[in-house]
Amino acid sequence: MQDSTEFLCGVAVSVFQNSGDDNAQWARFQRSRFSWFSLRGKLTRSGFKEDDKYVVEGLRADRPAIAHDLQDRIGKTDIAGEGQLQGSNKQPEESGKSVESYKVQPRTSSTLIAEHPADFWNNYETDIQLAAGLGCNSFRISLEWSRVVPQQGVIDKAAVQRYHDIFDCIERYRMVPNVTLHWWTHPQWFEELGEFTIEDNIPLFVEWAQMAFQHFGHRVHLWATFNEPEAASLCGHVLGNHPPGHLFQFKAAGQKLLNMLRCHAAAYRAIKLMPGGDRAAVGIVLNVLWVEPRRTGAWFKHVEVLSNLFSKVWDIQAAMKYLLSGTYTYSHPLGRLLGYVHWEDPKGKPGCDWFGINHYARAVLDWNLLPSSKASRVVLTDMGFPVDPHSLYMAVAWGSQLKVPMYIMESGAPFDDNENGRAEFINSALEQVKQAVKDGYDLRGYHYWTLLDDYEFNYGYDLKFGLYAWDPKDKDSQRTERAGAKVLTGWYAGLAGEMQEAMLRHKGRYNTKRAGIKPKDCPTPTAQVCMQVSHNAAAKPNSRQTHGSRRFTKVRVGKVLGVKYATSFISLTKYS
């Protein structure tokens, strides 16, 4: 069990993203992408071109015939796979559609996770040892519902034992496990029942939480119910790049987020009533993302409008309001007449022992709607985010309104050929962590995303977040250490002790912000946090990024009044 004064330094690993699982709804979804938005390639100033590493596959003769037309995607039917009509309690046979007509056969594609994954599931000892070598005292991992319960009512005892083996290994290397019950994936059978869009399915998630705690509660102190429920609802029902692949269903997205938050509240109560539940710490993880104009003034008025619109779409304020009060209100970004969801929990404020923060950067728009930065020197990651010397601190300040301990659960930067950029990101992020703790925020841990390159959902394998490189096209690929790993190791060597001393000096009196504050209104660090390049980063600076040249192009971020920019951070682009 974790000492409450211990500061955690760790890495985050999603089992599905590293190993895949044919019983997860994402496995079905990645094999059944739509022809619309399915173009996949590198972005250049002239636009898209076919990537020489990853083959573009459109709708071809060998592609399964699935009802994935536009009418389906705007909500007339469930297009995630073997499913029921949306909002209906009928089973597939009763819905008038043949189950067989929805069957998807596996096909070979370089974008599918099952081709040559790093496979943490079967190589966990190697990866946990690598994490320990970084100086980690914490290991964040997903508990995959689809592995433990591949069919409704069926428990895979071998999967349960494998997780025990994994926890044995984590303990052997003296790390604290931090588990997440729902990390964007769930069983295909749950998807077919309507997943979180159906209120009646809330007890099914609670059963999963109870089952997981029954098996592993004596081994795990820190439990997260959900990872980024706001992203799952938005991407699944507005952008269409996550299951079930619907487009522009804002009200459905709002309802799904509410049901996931209600699942959190119900699972929290259920776990606390179980033997040992009073000793467990149960929390939830949100992606604290917002958009700001690079500057103010007449030239940036349109950017401010778009930034505010994005904040309404990516509505972490609605999730935070529910966590603070038990009241949930979600409105369509263009007005409540187009979609409105309101609910008040009769049990009041839900339980939440700690709050998890995923944060990569705030999105900053220039006047021409291209990615930019508020830092003196623009450094953009391969995802289009700036390396920001202030935004992680602001995200922590925003989370402090819950008045519970906070953990940074994901923080990382994708760079394919710029290890200096990764080093700058790590240095900047951990300087902000130090400053936040010293300024009195109840921040108790930092987890880097991620240990090694993995399947980044709708981004495929394009984004290289890993401290260790992995080539999914090479069946003989080895885990190759990147220079960024040395930078993080240098930080972790003394960070836990230094932060623990700072936490003890506060004697339980912590800095908090008012309820309802927006991330963009939160304070920046009281001390200047500088971006520095580590001497351990052997790669030369990438001039395209360190000198402010935009790696993302107008194709993705400049048109349609900035909508493509706003969604580029959540990947509107559909991959085969």
Side-chain angles (χ1 to χ4, degrees):
M1 295 298 180
Q2 184 206 0
D3 181 346
S4 62
T5 63
E6 182 181 15
F7 188 90
L8 300 184
C9 300
V11 291
V13 171
S14 159
V15 174
F16 177 83
Q17 290 176 256
N18 275 272
S19 309
D21 179 16
D22 285 342
N23 293 311
Q25 97 284 19
W26 254 100
R28 174 68 53 83
F29 185 70
Q30 70 179 355
R31 292 195 299 263
S32 59
R33 293 305 177 88
F34 326 108
S35 56
W36 197 29
F37 294 139
S38 66
L39 188 63
R40 188 163 190 264
K42 287 287 187 181
L43 290 165
T44 66
R45 287 200 175 277
S46 59
F48 280 104
K49 70 176 182 180
E50 183 174 316
D51 189 340
D52 57 351
K53 291 184 181 178
Y54 302 105
V55 179
V56 176
E57 293 196 38
L59 191 60
R60 303 187 335 191
D62 62 344
R63 196 180 185 87
I66 306 174
H68 279 171
D69 58 26
L70 180 59
Q71 186 181 39
D72 289 333
R73 300 195 68 191
I74 60 176
K76 294 298 177 97
T77 63
D78 170 47
I79 48 71
E82 302 168 10
Q84 61 195 50
L85 295 176
Q86 186 187 7
S88 168
N89 289 321
K90 293 181 179 180
Q91 296 304 309
E93 293 83 356
E94 298 174 298
S95 68
K97 292 187 178 292
S98 166
V99 174
E100 288 300 321
S101 69
Y102 282 96
K103 292 287 186 180
V104 180
Q105 299 302 321
R107 62 187 176 87
T108 300
S109 169
S110 56
T111 63
L112 297 187
I113 192 171
E115 188 176 5
H116 300 300
D119 198 6
F120 171 86
W121 189 247
N122 291 304
N123 297 286
Y124 63 89
E125 292 183 87
T126 297
D127 292 341
I128 291 170
Q129 183 178 14
L130 290 177
L134 296 170
C136 295
N137 62 6
S138 177
F139 195 92
R140 185 191 179 196
I141 186 175
S142 60
L143 281 182
E144 296 293 338
W145 188 0
S146 58
R147 283 190 178 271
V148 178
V149 193
Q151 300 176 39
Q152 189 172 8
V154 177
I155 298 176
D156 187 333
K157 294 181 180 179
V160 173
Q161 182 57 51
R162 175 58 57 87
Y163 269 116
H164 278 299
D165 295 341
I166 290 171
F167 290 133
D168 284 342
C169 191
I170 291 173
E171 292 171 5
R172 197 156 56 244
Y173 284 98
R174 298 184 179 182
M175 288 186 282
V176 173
N178 186 322
V179 304
T180 300
L181 290 168
H182 189 278
W183 199 326
W184 285 4
T185 63
H186 51 249
Q188 178 62 27
W189 61 260
F190 183 68
E191 183 80 7
E192 293 167 14
L193 293 176
E195 42 104 20
F196 297 103
T197 62
I198 307 296
E199 181 181 352
D200 290 344
N201 288 339
I202 292 176
L204 293 175
F205 179 80
V206 176
E207 289 176 11
W208 159 236
Q210 291 173 309
M211 181 188 306
F213 192 80
Q214 180 181 0
H215 285 291
F216 310 115
H218 64 290
R219 315 200 65 165
V220 178
H221 175 63
L222 292 168
W223 294 78
T225 52
F226 287 93
N227 179 77
E228 300 185 9
E230 77 293 339
S233 58
L234 172 68
C235 295
H237 295 271
V238 176
L239 302 181
N241 55 4
H242 283 209
H246 291 164
L247 289 169
F248 314 129
Q249 294 188 353
F250 289 93
K251 185 175 180 179
Q255 185 64 52
K256 179 172 178 174
L257 176 56
L258 169 60
N259 289 343
M260 294 176 88
L261 293 170
R262 291 179 63 185
C263 281
H264 161 79
Y268 179 96
R269 292 191 294 268
I271 288 174
K272 291 296 182 178
L273 291 174
M274 296 180 69
D278 57 333
R279 297 188 298 274
V282 183
I284 192 170
V285 183
L286 300 183
N287 187 330
V288 185
L289 171 65
W290 70 98
V291 181
E292 290 186 42
R294 186 171 67 86
R295 294 179 181 174
T296 58
W299 282 96
F300 288 86
K301 286 296 183 183
H302 62 296
V303 184
E304 184 176 353
V305 170
L306 290 171
S307 299
N308 292 335
L309 181 64
F310 177 83
S311 296
K312 292 179 180 179
V313 174
W314 189 276
D315 201 354
I316 55 175
Q317 293 296 110
M320 178 59 80
K321 181 180 179 181
Y322 178 80
L323 295 174
L324 285 166
S325 65
T327 298
Y328 178 87
T329 303
Y330 180 91
S331 297
H332 191 287
L334 299 180
R336 65 168 57 188
L337 291 178
L338 297 175
Y340 180 72
V341 180
H342 181 80
W343 192 75
E344 296 184 13
D345 195 325
K347 294 181 171 58
K349 177 181 176 180
C352 188
D353 297 326
W354 58 273
F355 180 60
I357 296 170
N358 287 355
H359 183 75
Y360 296 88
R362 58 181 161 183
V364 178
L365 285 170
D366 212 336
W367 66 271
N368 54 6
L369 306 182
L370 290 177
S372 188
S373 172
K374 291 196 172 186
S376 57
R377 187 166 61 92
V378 179
V379 181
L380 297 181
T381 71
D382 291 351
M383 201 174 180
F385 283 125
V387 175
D388 195 315
H390 297 144
S391 65
L392 182 58
Y393 183 99
M394 296 168 70
V396 171
W398 181 78
S400 71
Q401 62 187 294
L402 269 177
K403 298 180 173 60
V404 296
M406 294 174 286
Y407 296 88
I408 295 167
M409 301 293 278
E410 291 180 30
S411 169
F415 287 103
D416 192 0
D417 57 357
N418 182 9
E419 282 305 293
N420 276 350
R422 197 186 314 274
E424 287 201 30
F425 180 91
I426 293 171
N427 287 330
S428 172
L430 289 170
E431 286 286 359
Q432 292 176 73
V433 166
K434 285 177 57 177
Q435 194 61 48
V437 174
K438 290 177 179 178
D439 286 349
Y441 292 106
D442 192 4
L443 179 62
R444 302 191 185 185
Y446 176 91
H447 298 82
Y448 182 85
W449 177 262
T450 181
L451 181 65
L452 60 142
D453 295 336
D454 61 8
Y455 178 79
E456 291 293 330
F457 292 106
N458 43 295
Y459 285 99
Y461 287 96
D462 281 352
L463 298 180
K464 311 298 185 184
F465 281 96
L467 296 167
Y468 286 83
W470 173 266
D471 184 356
K473 289 181 67 64
D474 182 2
K475 64 179 180 180
D476 297 319
S477 181
Q478 301 296 313
R479 288 151 167 77
T480 305
E481 185 182 55
R482 288 195 170 104
K486 294 183 175 65
V487 178
L488 191 70
T489 302
W491 274 98
Y492 280 2
L495 185 64
E498 183 179 353
M499 294 298 92
Q500 214 160 316
E501 290 179 6
M503 290 160 60
L504 290 172
R505 285 197 294 270
H506 297 307
K507 298 180 180 179
R509 298 187 296 272
Y510 292 107
N511 190 357
T512 60
K513 298 304 170 204
R514 62 175 175 81
I517 192 171
K518 296 180 179 179
K520 67 182 182 66
D521 297 325
C522 288
T524 55
T526 55
Q528 181 64 33
V529 175
C530 301
M531 294 192 299
Q532 300 175 348
V533 180
S534 169
H535 295 296
N536 289 327
K540 293 181 179 180
N542 184 330
S543 60
R544 290 176 298 174
Q545 293 170 310
T546 56
H547 294 290
S549 179
R550 309 302 192 262
R551 188 159 186 172
F552 274 146
T553 69
K554 294 181 181 179
V555 171
R556 196 169 192 175
V557 301
K559 296 181 180 179
V560 197
L561 296 179
V563 171
K564 286 195 176 183
Y565 170 79
T567 56
S568 69
F569 295 102
I570 326 161
S571 184
L572 176 60
T573 306
K574 299 297 299 179
Y575 291 169
S576 294

PDB file of all heavy atoms in Angstrom, residues 355-375:
ATOM      1  N   PHE A 355      -7.881  12.866  -7.761  1.00  0.00           N
ATOM      2  CA  PHE A 355      -8.204  13.320  -9.107  1.00  0.00           C
ATOM      3  C   PHE A 355      -6.995  13.140 -10.013  1.00  0.00           C
ATOM      4  O   PHE A 355      -5.885  13.569  -9.684  1.00  0.00           O
ATOM      5  CB  PHE A 355      -8.612  14.798  -9.083  1.00  0.00           C
ATOM      6  CG  PHE A 355      -8.960  15.355 -10.433  1.00  0.00           C
ATOM      7  CD1 PHE A 355      -9.996  14.805 -11.184  1.00  0.00           C
ATOM      8  CD2 PHE A 355      -8.263  16.438 -10.959  1.00  0.00           C
ATOM      9  CE1 PHE A 355     -10.316  15.327 -12.435  1.00  0.00           C
ATOM     10  CE2 PHE A 355      -8.582  16.964 -12.198  1.00  0.00           C
ATOM     11  CZ  PHE A 355      -9.615  16.404 -12.942  1.00  0.00           C
ATOM     12  N   GLY A 356      -7.216  12.457 -11.145  1.00  0.00           N
ATOM     13  CA  GLY A 356      -6.148  12.216 -12.101  1.00  0.00           C
ATOM     14  C   GLY A 356      -6.182  13.212 -13.247  1.00  0.00           C
ATOM     15  O   GLY A 356      -7.248  13.507 -13.797  1.00  0.00           O
ATOM     16  N   ILE A 357      -5.021  13.728 -13.599  1.00  0.00           N
ATOM     17  CA  ILE A 357      -4.893  14.730 -14.652  1.00  0.00           C
ATOM     18  C   ILE A 357      -4.080  14.154 -15.804  1.00  0.00           C
ATOM     19  O   ILE A 357      -2.929  13.740 -15.619  1.00  0.00           O
ATOM     20  CB  ILE A 357      -4.199  16.004 -14.124  1.00  0.00           C
ATOM     21  CG1 ILE A 357      -5.052  16.675 -13.045  1.00  0.00           C
ATOM     22  CG2 ILE A 357      -3.900  16.987 -15.262  1.00  0.00           C
ATOM     23  CD1 ILE A 357      -4.330  17.791 -12.306  1.00  0.00           C
ATOM     24  N   ASN A 358      -4.683  14.083 -16.980  1.00  0.00           N
ATOM     25  CA  ASN A 358      -3.938  13.848 -18.206  1.00  0.00           C
ATOM     26  C   ASN A 358      -3.751  15.197 -18.879  1.00  0.00           C
ATOM     27  O   ASN A 358      -4.724  15.924 -19.117  1.00  0.00           O
ATOM     28  CB  ASN A 358      -4.698  12.924 -19.159  1.00  0.00           C
ATOM     29  CG  ASN A 358      -4.719  11.482 -18.697  1.00  0.00           C
ATOM     30  OD1 ASN A 358      -4.086  11.133 -17.703  1.00  0.00           O
ATOM     31  ND2 ASN A 358      -5.425  10.641 -19.413  1.00  0.00           N
ATOM     32  N   HIS A 359      -2.508  15.543 -19.164  1.00  0.00           N
ATOM     33  CA  HIS A 359      -2.270  16.844 -19.798  1.00  0.00           C
ATOM     34  C   HIS A 359      -1.014  16.775 -20.649  1.00  0.00           C
ATOM     35  O   HIS A 359       0.048  16.361 -20.188  1.00  0.00           O
ATOM     36  CB  HIS A 359      -2.120  17.947 -18.749  1.00  0.00           C
ATOM     37  CG  HIS A 359      -1.954  19.310 -19.359  1.00  0.00           C
ATOM     38  ND1 HIS A 359      -3.000  20.003 -19.920  1.00  0.00           N
ATOM     39  CD2 HIS A 359      -0.861  20.094 -19.514  1.00  0.00           C
ATOM     40  CE1 HIS A 359      -2.555  21.163 -20.387  1.00  0.00           C
ATOM     41  NE2 HIS A 359      -1.266  21.234 -20.161  1.00  0.00           N
ATOM     42  N   TYR A 360      -1.182  17.187 -21.889  1.00  0.00           N
ATOM     43  CA  TYR A 360      -0.056  17.235 -22.828  1.00  0.00           C
ATOM     44  C   TYR A 360       0.336  18.677 -23.135  1.00  0.00           C
ATOM     45  O   TYR A 360       1.510  18.991 -23.245  1.00  0.00           O
ATOM     46  CB  TYR A 360      -0.426  16.483 -24.104  1.00  0.00           C
ATOM     47  CG  TYR A 360      -0.656  15.010 -23.847  1.00  0.00           C
ATOM     48  CD1 TYR A 360      -1.909  14.526 -23.466  1.00  0.00           C
ATOM     49  CD2 TYR A 360       0.393  14.114 -23.918  1.00  0.00           C
ATOM     50  CE1 TYR A 360      -2.108  13.183 -23.181  1.00  0.00           C
ATOM     51  CE2 TYR A 360       0.207  12.764 -23.640  1.00  0.00           C
ATOM     52  CZ  TYR A 360      -1.051  12.309 -23.276  1.00  0.00           C
ATOM     53  OH  TYR A 360      -1.240  10.976 -22.982  1.00  0.00           O
ATOM     54  N   ALA A 361      -0.641  19.547 -23.270  1.00  0.00           N
ATOM     55  CA  ALA A 361      -0.404  20.980 -23.453  1.00  0.00           C
ATOM     56  C   ALA A 361      -1.759  21.641 -23.648  1.00  0.00           C
ATOM     57  O   ALA A 361      -2.762  20.976 -23.921  1.00  0.00           O
ATOM     58  CB  ALA A 361       0.489  21.267 -24.659  1.00  0.00           C
ATOM     59  N   ARG A 362      -1.788  22.939 -23.495  1.00  0.00           N
ATOM     60  CA  ARG A 362      -2.955  23.671 -23.979  1.00  0.00           C
ATOM     61  C   ARG A 362      -2.740  23.902 -25.475  1.00  0.00           C
ATOM     62  O   ARG A 362      -1.611  24.046 -25.943  1.00  0.00           O
ATOM     63  CB  ARG A 362      -3.102  25.007 -23.257  1.00  0.00           C
ATOM     64  CG  ARG A 362      -1.896  25.905 -23.385  1.00  0.00           C
ATOM     65  CD  ARG A 362      -2.064  27.210 -22.637  1.00  0.00           C
ATOM     66  NE  ARG A 362      -0.755  27.838 -22.397  1.00  0.00           N
ATOM     67  CZ  ARG A 362      -0.604  28.955 -21.709  1.00  0.00           C
ATOM     68  NH1 ARG A 362      -1.647  29.578 -21.198  1.00  0.00           N
ATOM     69  NH2 ARG A 362       0.612  29.460 -21.504  1.00  0.00           N
ATOM     70  N   ALA A 363      -3.820  23.914 -26.223  1.00  0.00           N
ATOM     71  CA  ALA A 363      -3.726  24.203 -27.654  1.00  0.00           C
ATOM     72  C   ALA A 363      -3.738  25.711 -27.844  1.00  0.00           C
ATOM     73  O   ALA A 363      -4.590  26.403 -27.289  1.00  0.00           O
ATOM     74  CB  ALA A 363      -4.890  23.562 -28.393  1.00  0.00           C
ATOM     75  N   VAL A 364      -2.790  26.211 -28.594  1.00  0.00           N
ATOM     76  CA  VAL A 364      -2.674  27.656 -28.832  1.00  0.00           C
ATOM     77  C   VAL A 364      -2.802  27.921 -30.326  1.00  0.00           C
ATOM     78  O   VAL A 364      -2.095  27.307 -31.138  1.00  0.00           O
ATOM     79  CB  VAL A 364      -1.328  28.193 -28.308  1.00  0.00           C
ATOM     80  CG1 VAL A 364      -1.196  29.681 -28.606  1.00  0.00           C
ATOM     81  CG2 VAL A 364      -1.210  27.947 -26.805  1.00  0.00           C
ATOM     82  N   LEU A 365      -3.708  28.824 -30.684  1.00  0.00           N
ATOM     83  CA  LEU A 365      -3.964  29.177 -32.082  1.00  0.00           C
ATOM     84  C   LEU A 365      -3.385  30.543 -32.419  1.00  0.00           C
ATOM     85  O   LEU A 365      -3.570  31.504 -31.673  1.00  0.00           O
ATOM     86  CB  LEU A 365      -5.459  29.206 -32.362  1.00  0.00           C
ATOM     87  CG  LEU A 365      -6.198  27.870 -32.487  1.00  0.00           C
ATOM     88  CD1 LEU A 365      -7.699  28.136 -32.525  1.00  0.00           C
ATOM     89  CD2 LEU A 365      -5.769  27.109 -33.701  1.00  0.00           C
ATOM     90  N   ASP A 366      -2.722  30.609 -33.548  1.00  0.00           N
ATOM     91  CA  ASP A 366      -2.279  31.896 -34.074  1.00  0.00           C
ATOM     92  C   ASP A 366      -3.450  32.539 -34.826  1.00  0.00           C
ATOM     93  O   ASP A 366      -4.499  31.917 -35.005  1.00  0.00           O
ATOM     94  CB  ASP A 366      -1.079  31.709 -34.995  1.00  0.00           C
ATOM     95  CG  ASP A 366      -0.121  32.895 -34.944  1.00  0.00           C
ATOM     96  OD1 ASP A 366      -0.577  34.000 -34.592  1.00  0.00           O
ATOM     97  OD2 ASP A 366       1.063  32.714 -35.247  1.00  0.00           O
ATOM     98  N   TRP A 367      -3.258  33.766 -35.295  1.00  0.00           N
ATOM     99  CA  TRP A 367      -4.344  34.473 -35.981  1.00  0.00           C
ATOM    100  C   TRP A 367      -4.816  33.731 -37.233  1.00  0.00           C
ATOM    101  O   TRP A 367      -5.983  33.804 -37.625  1.00  0.00           O
ATOM    102  CB  TRP A 367      -3.888  35.889 -36.376  1.00  0.00           C
ATOM    103  CG  TRP A 367      -2.793  35.886 -37.428  1.00  0.00           C
ATOM    104  CD1 TRP A 367      -1.460  35.833 -37.219  1.00  0.00           C
ATOM    105  CD2 TRP A 367      -2.977  35.898 -38.841  1.00  0.00           C
ATOM    106  NE1 TRP A 367      -0.780  35.812 -38.407  1.00  0.00           N
ATOM    107  CE2 TRP A 367      -1.691  35.863 -39.427  1.00  0.00           C
ATOM    108  CE3 TRP A 367      -4.090  35.954 -39.685  1.00  0.00           C
ATOM    109  CZ2 TRP A 367      -1.504  35.862 -40.808  1.00  0.00           C
ATOM    110  CZ3 TRP A 367      -3.899  35.957 -41.058  1.00  0.00           C
ATOM    111  CH2 TRP A 367      -2.615  35.919 -41.604  1.00  0.00           C
ATOM    112  N   ASN A 368      -3.907  32.970 -37.876  1.00  0.00           N
ATOM    113  CA  ASN A 368      -4.245  32.229 -39.085  1.00  0.00           C
ATOM    114  C   ASN A 368      -4.705  30.808 -38.784  1.00  0.00           C
ATOM    115  O   ASN A 368      -4.783  29.964 -39.670  1.00  0.00           O
ATOM    116  CB  ASN A 368      -3.052  32.190 -40.035  1.00  0.00           C
ATOM    117  CG  ASN A 368      -1.797  31.646 -39.378  1.00  0.00           C
ATOM    118  OD1 ASN A 368      -1.840  31.192 -38.230  1.00  0.00           O
ATOM    119  ND2 ASN A 368      -0.683  31.696 -40.084  1.00  0.00           N
ATOM    120  N   LEU A 369      -5.001  30.532 -37.509  1.00  0.00           N
ATOM    121  CA  LEU A 369      -5.546  29.261 -37.032  1.00  0.00           C
ATOM    122  C   LEU A 369      -4.550  28.108 -37.098  1.00  0.00           C
ATOM    123  O   LEU A 369      -4.931  26.940 -37.048  1.00  0.00           O
ATOM    124  CB  LEU A 369      -6.822  28.881 -37.806  1.00  0.00           C
ATOM    125  CG  LEU A 369      -7.921  29.937 -37.823  1.00  0.00           C
ATOM    126  CD1 LEU A 369      -9.141  29.432 -38.569  1.00  0.00           C
ATOM    127  CD2 LEU A 369      -8.305  30.348 -36.411  1.00  0.00           C
ATOM    128  N   LEU A 370      -3.277  28.424 -37.195  1.00  0.00           N
ATOM    129  CA  LEU A 370      -2.243  27.405 -37.155  1.00  0.00           C
ATOM    130  C   LEU A 370      -1.749  27.217 -35.722  1.00  0.00           C
ATOM    131  O   LEU A 370      -1.820  28.137 -34.908  1.00  0.00           O
ATOM    132  CB  LEU A 370      -1.076  27.785 -38.061  1.00  0.00           C
ATOM    133  CG  LEU A 370      -1.344  27.728 -39.565  1.00  0.00           C
ATOM    134  CD1 LEU A 370      -0.124  28.213 -40.337  1.00  0.00           C
ATOM    135  CD2 LEU A 370      -1.705  26.315 -40.002  1.00  0.00           C
ATOM    136  N   PRO A 371      -1.241  26.023 -35.382  1.00  0.00           N
ATOM    137  CA  PRO A 371      -0.724  25.786 -34.031  1.00  0.00           C
ATOM    138  C   PRO A 371       0.412  26.741 -33.714  1.00  0.00           C
ATOM    139  O   PRO A 371       1.269  27.014 -34.552  1.00  0.00           O
ATOM    140  CB  PRO A 371      -0.223  24.342 -34.088  1.00  0.00           C
ATOM    141  CG  PRO A 371      -0.916  23.732 -35.246  1.00  0.00           C
ATOM    142  CD  PRO A 371      -1.133  24.826 -36.230  1.00  0.00           C
ATOM    143  N   SER A 372       0.401  27.236 -32.492  1.00  0.00           N
ATOM    144  CA  SER A 372       1.447  28.156 -32.067  1.00  0.00           C
ATOM    145  C   SER A 372       1.724  27.916 -30.592  1.00  0.00           C
ATOM    146  O   SER A 372       1.394  26.863 -30.043  1.00  0.00           O
ATOM    147  CB  SER A 372       1.026  29.604 -32.331  1.00  0.00           C
ATOM    148  OG  SER A 372       2.107  30.490 -32.088  1.00  0.00           O
ATOM    149  N   SER A 373       2.332  28.882 -29.947  1.00  0.00           N
ATOM    150  CA  SER A 373       2.701  28.735 -28.548  1.00  0.00           C
ATOM    151  C   SER A 373       2.775  30.110 -27.911  1.00  0.00           C
ATOM    152  O   SER A 373       3.001  31.111 -28.590  1.00  0.00           O
ATOM    153  CB  SER A 373       4.053  28.023 -28.420  1.00  0.00           C
ATOM    154  OG  SER A 373       4.502  28.028 -27.076  1.00  0.00           O
ATOM    155  N   LYS A 374       2.572  30.145 -26.609  1.00  0.00           N
ATOM    156  CA  LYS A 374       2.741  31.396 -25.875  1.00  0.00           C
ATOM    157  C   LYS A 374       4.144  31.513 -25.311  1.00  0.00           C
ATOM    158  O   LYS A 374       4.474  32.521 -24.676  1.00  0.00           O
ATOM    159  CB  LYS A 374       1.705  31.487 -24.754  1.00  0.00           C
ATOM    160  CG  LYS A 374       0.280  31.667 -25.272  1.00  0.00           C
ATOM    161  CD  LYS A 374      -0.658  32.126 -24.185  1.00  0.00           C
ATOM    162  CE  LYS A 374      -2.022  32.484 -24.762  1.00  0.00           C
ATOM    163  NZ  LYS A 374      -2.924  33.075 -23.768  1.00  0.00           N
ATOM    164  N   ALA A 375       4.964  30.495 -25.515  1.00  0.00           N
ATOM    165  CA  ALA A 375       6.344  30.557 -25.072  1.00  0.00           C
ATOM    166  C   ALA A 375       7.146  31.458 -25.999  1.00  0.00           C
ATOM    167  O   ALA A 375       6.735  31.757 -27.127  1.00  0.00           O
ATOM    168  CB  ALA A 375       6.944  29.155 -25.048  1.00  0.00           C
TER     169      ALA A 375
END
